[in-house]
Amino acid sequence: MSTTAPTLHAPEIIHPAAPFGSVRYVLFDFDGTLSLIREGWQEVMIPYFVEELLATPGHESEEELTRVVREFVTRLTGKQTIYQCFQLAEEVAKRGGEPKAPLAYKHAYLERLWRRIAHRVQALREGSAQPDTYLVRGSRALLEELKRREVLCYLASGTDLPYVRDEAAALQIDHFFGPRIYGALDDYRRFSKQMIIEQILRENGLHGPELAVIGDGYVEIENGKGVGGLAIGVASDERNPGGLDEWKRDRLIQAGADVIIRDFANLPALLELLFAEKGA
């Protein structure tokens, strides 16, 4: 086993005037931000959606359909999966097909995804894989430090709630959040990251700068900025620990991220941004 220390990349400050140093509450996204269990989900969703569109009477080439699907799948990343399925239904109808119910598309996608990731969850449950194998680097150390400082942490994911709870437990990080774990529901109107952010502010009497939102998706960054919070974009290359995903980086900056990080390996630098403590 390698004992090489992780490379400590400095956070990239996008907005130097951002509300650094006042954080008391943190909202995390899950997949791609903390968890790597679902790494590669796009490689399941995009071909499945293309397959559905190829069955329509007025479809374009497979190459063009792949471009169309990739655009809307990535644009809607961070929202509940059902929104990508709503868009698929629209695209099917647009090409003269008879769309299925969006929930049917969602459940079919989840079945395919489960076939890809089931062995990962099983290995975690059986103990044949270490939880940190499927965590973004430095995640556990950050969560432990936030707990030590009595910072209240929330988890909100576009993945269905039962899966989020199950996978957070398999990764042995659910105790950092307690009952504050949220995820997508079949009744999609009852959940959004914006709703959770508003709930956090309301229940805790917060002003924006006291909340940090940490995620790798457009939605949570835009929502966090919308209430005046500190928005930290995680541009993790999920296949190459420590690597930078340039597409994610550009997308997160467009969403308004104040800071871009690759992962949480450089904990002292991140804590300095959150709490304005030199050498924390």
Side-chain angles (χ1 to χ4, degrees), residues 238-254:
E238 297 178 34
R239 290 187 172 177
N240 301 294
L244 178 71
D245 185 318
E246 292 285 358
W247 184 89
K248 278 188 185 179
R249 174 188 174 275
D250 293 345
R251 184 84 171 140
L252 291 165
I253 290 172
Q254 290 173 27

Side-chain angles (χ1 to χ4, degrees), residues 167-181:
E167 291 166 28
L171 291 168
Q172 298 177 22
I173 61 171
D174 53 325
H175 62 286
F176 291 111
F177 303 97
R180 300 176 298 279
I181 296 178

Side-chain angles (χ1 to χ4, degrees), residues 5-18:
T7 303
L8 301 182
H9 297 280
E12 180 184 3
I13 309 299
I14 308 300
H15 299 133

Side-chain angles (χ1 to χ4, degrees), residues 24-41:
R24 295 169 49 216
Y25 298 79
V26 179
L27 174 70
F28 286 92
D29 174 49
F30 188 53
D31 297 304
T33 299
L34 294 172
S35 174
L36 297 174
I37 289 176
R38 293 182 173 236
E39 179 275 318
W41 64 268

Side-chain angles (χ1 to χ4, degrees), residues 87-160:
Q87 186 67 47
L88 173 60
E90 287 184 22
E91 299 295 335
V92 168
K94 197 185 298 182
R95 290 163 177 78
E98 185 66 37
K100 301 171 186 173
L103 266 179
Y105 289 132
K106 174 182 166 180
H107 291 153
Y109 156 69
L110 290 175
E111 287 176 10
R112 293 179 181 217
L113 178 62
W114 183 247
R115 290 198 290 271
R116 179 187 176 98
I117 68 171
H119 71 284
R120 300 175 183 174
V121 178
Q122 189 66 26
L124 288 167
R125 287 175 178 159
E126 293 174 347
S128 58
Q130 292 300 309
D132 286 13
T133 303
Y134 291 109
L135 283 174
V136 171
R137 293 193 318 168
S139 295
R140 191 175 307 280
L142 173 60
L143 290 168
E144 288 173 346
E145 185 62 27
L146 294 175
K147 181 180 180 181
R148 186 182 74 79
R149 293 166 179 264
E150 299 183 343
V151 172
L152 209 57
C153 293
Y154 294 74
L155 190 62
S157 174
T159 297
D160 281 28

Side-chain angles (χ1 to χ4, degrees), residues 215-232:
D216 75 328
Y218 193 98
V219 172
E220 58 266 18
I221 296 301
E222 188 175 55
N223 291 164
K225 287 296 291 181
V227 299
L230 177 64
I232 299 177

Side-chain angles (χ1 to χ4, degrees), residues 11-79:
E12 180 184 3
I13 309 299
I14 308 300
H15 299 133
F20 298 113
S22 303
V23 172
R24 295 169 49 216
Y25 298 79
V26 179
L27 174 70
F28 286 92
D29 174 49
F30 188 53
D31 297 304
T33 299
L34 294 172
S35 174
L36 297 174
I37 289 176
R38 293 182 173 236
E39 179 275 318
W41 64 268
Q42 299 96 328
E43 295 166 22
V44 176
M45 179 178 281
I46 291 171
Y48 166 51
F49 283 10
V50 169
E51 180 185 314
E52 290 291 330
L53 291 175
L54 282 170
T56 61
H59 69 77
E60 306 93 309
S61 69
E62 184 172 351
E63 180 182 6
E64 175 61 15
L65 288 175
T66 299
R67 185 196 66 77
V68 169
V69 171
R70 180 173 288 112
E71 187 283 325
F72 77 73
V73 165
T74 52
R75 172 168 46 85
L76 294 169
T77 295
K79 292 177 77 71

